[in-house]
Amino acid sequence: MQYKVLFFSFLTLIFFLFACGGKYKNSGLNVTGKVGEILVVCDQAIWDSELKANLDSQLTQFIMPYFPDVTTFELIHRKTQNFDGAIRRHRNILFLEIDSERKEKFGHIQSRKDVWANRQLVIDVKAKDYNQLLELCMNGMHAVHAQFDEIEWERIMFNFQSQENRHLENKIKKNFGIKLALPDASTIVTSRPNFYRLELPTASRPIEFVGTGTQDIGSVLTGIMIYQYDFIDSSQFLLDNLLKARDTMLRYNVPYETDGLYMGTQYNKFVFPESNATSNFKKNIKGVEVRGMFQFTGKDVHSTGGAFWAFHFLHPKSKKLICISGYVDAPSTTSWTQSLREIQAIWKSVEIL
């Protein structure tokens, strides 16, 4: 028991010192690899051991409650001796190392930023033997996942902030009193006093045909809805009340191409919306995020749907309850990870003006 207390105290200290990790001069180039990937660099024997199952269970967590499942990360492996060239610029790198010469009683976890590329995160896990490394991977990966999880949407947010769409920014500022980081080619398709709908640039992602091994390219449609209504009391931030307000707003503002259909929330128990308290990137706006699925409803006919991720907060000046809600409409056979991360980055970027 004493060993475990000391062990976790040591882990806490290590992660508290994350920001002090070594920062090495990089090439000045941007990171490589797909959004939602962690490159695990270790010897083949380590990768083939039971340790991999621990990494899978703790680092490939699901973003709930989407269907099909959306994982935060996918693990890819590279042998230590083959870690060279452009692969060094991968966005997320996890080193697993056994050094029998280590004298320390406990294993060591430390992060380094911008090592071989801009906005890169490298995390080193070092141990003196396999059992110590396994212990670290069984008990220390929660904090490792949190670090990779945060920097994944931060990269996207900073990239969007570097792009300029002054006309769109000014309209949002004037109407809602907020600022958002948006990709350059975003456009307004609906503009009303209490409701805006923006279309983000259309993306193309590989579609895998199950059982055939072949791929095609399919369009991923994403957008942002911003709406506001009068704030009365804190009960409006309860999940049921947020969803009722959402359905009312969308019923009148997001019609489908088929007359009588509109974007509505899915309430199936397997994808029932989930919520939790959170904040924006600067942590100066507290609010509630809601994740769930939508479908075009209103008639007893089959219709398309997708995923949404929303952030609700009280504007301190206008005294309006504001919602920034992003949606992803994409084939179920393609990954939604990058699109959802882009939505997350946008609402995380919100600032009060």
Side-chain angles (χ1 to χ4, degrees), residues 3-145:
Y3 171 81
K4 287 192 173 182
V5 171
L6 289 171
F7 177 81
F8 287 114
S9 297
F10 180 78
L11 276 183
T12 301
L13 175 63
I14 289 297
F15 285 113
F16 179 76
L17 296 176
F18 253 156
C20 299
K23 184 172 181 179
Y24 295 78
K25 185 177 180 180
N26 65 59
S27 61
L29 299 174
N30 292 326
V31 294
T32 61
K34 297 178 182 177
V35 172
E37 283 184 343
I38 297 175
L39 177 66
V40 183
V41 181
C42 64
D43 294 340
Q44 191 66 46
I46 294 176
W47 182 251
D48 292 336
S49 70
E50 63 176 309
L51 185 146
K52 183 176 182 296
N54 285 283
L55 294 179
D56 278 331
S57 63
Q58 298 186 67
L59 297 181
T60 60
Q61 299 176 22
F62 294 119
I63 305 176
M64 300 297 287
Y66 301 121
F67 182 81
D69 293 330
V70 178
T71 56
T72 50
F73 296 104
E74 174 188 359
L75 304 183
I76 57 177
H77 174 239
R78 177 62 66 99
K79 296 179 183 178
T80 305
Q81 59 269 32
N82 294 334
F83 181 71
D84 201 4
I87 195 71
R88 288 176 177 266
R89 290 167 46 207
H90 197 281
R91 61 187 56 238
N92 304 310
I93 301 177
L94 177 66
F95 282 106
L96 305 178
E97 179 184 344
I98 294 177
D99 181 3
S100 59
E101 301 298 319
R102 285 180 60 84
K103 304 301 182 183
E104 290 83 351
K105 184 177 180 180
F106 301 105
H108 179 70
I109 301 177
Q110 186 178 19
S111 72
R112 297 178 281 157
K113 293 184 176 181
D114 306 333
V115 183
W116 292 285
N118 293 326
R119 305 209 180 280
Q120 181 185 51
L121 177 61
V122 177
I123 296 182
D124 302 292
V125 181
K126 299 181 179 181
K128 65 180 180 180
D129 55 38
Y130 176 79
N131 288 333
Q132 192 177 80
L133 183 64
L134 180 61
E135 185 77 20
L136 281 172
C137 291
M138 290 175 63
N139 299 292
M141 289 300 107
H142 178 75
V144 169
H145 179 273

Side-chain angles (χ1 to χ4, degrees), residues 194 228-231 313-315 318-322:
N194 289 322
Q228 61 185 0
Y229 49 94
D230 292 335
F231 175 74
F313 62 94
L314 174 63
H315 195 294
S318 68
K319 302 304 178 184
K320 298 280 188 178
L321 196 159
I322 294 181

